[in-house]
Amino acid sequence: MLGGILSVPSRFPSFNSASRIRQFASMTNHLTNITSLQNTYCVIRHGRSLANESKVISSHPDVATIQHGLSEEGIKQAKAVGNDVLKYYHTLKSCEGIAILTSDYLRALETARYVFQAVASDNNIPLFRSDDVGTDQRLRERWFGEWDGRSDKHYVDVWKDDVKDSSHTVRGVESIDSVMERATEFVLEWDNKLSNHLILLVAHGDVLQITQTAFAKLSGTEHRNLEHLETATLRPLILK
């Protein structure tokens, strides 16, 4: 740790060279040329967390995988959104089951498991995994670089740069391009694995805002122009 800031986690790219910045700037939205998907996709932002309560940015895996789980309010929210999933599933036609996929950060993982409990209570809904949810590091929150561990008021500082350049890595943050690349790669991977399923992506604010932007086939610089995704909210993704 240097100056109270954790070093860049290995799961995230290092942005210390111009070549790395150009590499991520050239990455594309993997959904750009896709006209249809085999599954129905919804995103769920994690319930209110202890990081939200403390008003801190928590994006480092060494911390976020073991700390900053759900607050009491967040637990209630997660249980409620689980019921929302049940209601939504029964409005779908020709759906053969649900796959629950989540970031491994504690606040998202706990939320996903409450959703899992709700879905498992309905014997008429097949689960892709009957034992637990699926986790993937590509659904982790965006790495916020030097802002990690600091006040969440600094999100605005990052977003001010986001509207200028989707490849920016100011103060070591992960670029929008990087987040979009990993998230859409993940979606396409699962769309090739399953068909006719409701696939739930349980994750975090920025990664899900950017994923929505990718489905809308908009520039990543516009991710804050989309409707803000509140904690423990279920939102269908529509591919444009």
Side-chain angles (χ1 to χ4, degrees):
M1 182 180 295
L2 178 62
I5 301 173
L6 289 167
S7 59
V8 177
S10 58
R11 173 62 186 88
F12 297 101
S14 173
F15 301 111
N16 294 330
S17 69
S19 63
R20 292 290 282 172
I21 293 172
R22 286 194 297 271
Q23 175 188 348
F24 280 94
S26 66
M27 285 184 175
T28 60
N29 173 3
H30 290 292
L31 300 176
T32 297
N33 297 319
I34 303 298
T35 57
S36 63
L37 295 167
Q38 297 189 93
N39 300 282
T40 299
Y41 292 85
C42 285
V43 295
I44 299 174
R45 185 182 169 198
H46 62 79
R48 187 165 178 80
S49 72
L50 297 176
N52 296 139
E53 296 282 331
S54 299
K55 299 186 181 299
V56 298
I57 296 174
S58 179
S59 65
H60 199 294
D62 289 355
V63 175
T65 55
I66 59 174
Q67 294 181 33
H68 298 147
L70 296 179
S71 65
E72 290 186 12
E73 179 185 353
I75 291 171
K76 292 177 182 178
Q77 289 179 332
K79 291 178 178 178
V81 77
N83 291 327
D84 292 341
V85 169
L86 291 177
K87 293 174 185 177
Y88 181 74
Y89 179 84
H90 288 298
T91 69
L92 300 175
K93 297 179 180 179
S94 304
C95 205
E96 299 175 4
I98 296 179
I100 304 173
L101 308 173
T102 182
S103 158
D104 60 347
Y105 283 6
L106 189 58
R107 54 197 186 269
L109 181 58
E110 290 180 347
T111 301
R113 283 178 170 157
Y114 279 113
V115 172
F116 177 89
Q117 290 175 14
V119 174
S121 70
D122 188 329
N123 294 326
N124 295 316
I125 302 179
L127 277 159
F128 175 71
R129 279 188 60 177
S130 60
D131 58 331
D132 199 357
V133 299
T135 62
D136 197 289
Q137 293 180 359
R138 287 171 291 182
L139 292 177
R140 284 177 171 177
E141 180 58 297
R142 181 183 189 179
W143 166 239
F144 282 98
E146 293 179 23
W147 300 121
D148 184 71
R150 298 186 181 183
S151 169
D152 61 8
K153 69 181 182 182
H154 292 299
Y155 283 131
V156 175
D157 295 307
V158 177
W159 297 336
K160 285 178 181 177
D161 291 314
D162 284 355
V163 300
K164 302 173 187 175
D165 181 7
S166 64
S167 69
H168 92 83
T169 58
V170 176
R171 291 183 177 268
V173 303
E174 183 183 9
S175 71
I176 295 171
D177 292 339
S178 171
V179 176
M180 187 177 288
E181 193 277 334
R182 60 178 166 95
T184 56
E185 175 191 66
F186 179 77
V187 168
L188 280 190
E189 180 181 304
W190 277 89
D191 211 59
N192 288 325
K193 287 182 179 180
L194 296 176
S195 61
N196 301 320
H197 274 67
L198 171 58
I199 297 183
L200 303 176
L201 309 179
V202 185
H204 311 267
D206 264 38
V207 67
L208 294 181
Q209 289 288 138
I210 293 167
T211 301
Q212 291 177 91
T213 308
F215 267 73
K217 298 183 180 177
L218 298 171
S219 167
T221 59
E222 298 188 50
H223 76 93
R224 295 310 306 174
N225 291 333
L226 300 182
E227 182 182 358
H228 179 65
L229 187 64
E230 300 291 346
T231 53
T233 298
L234 175 72
R235 181 175 295 170
L237 294 178
I238 307 300
L239 184 68
K240 298 294 187 181

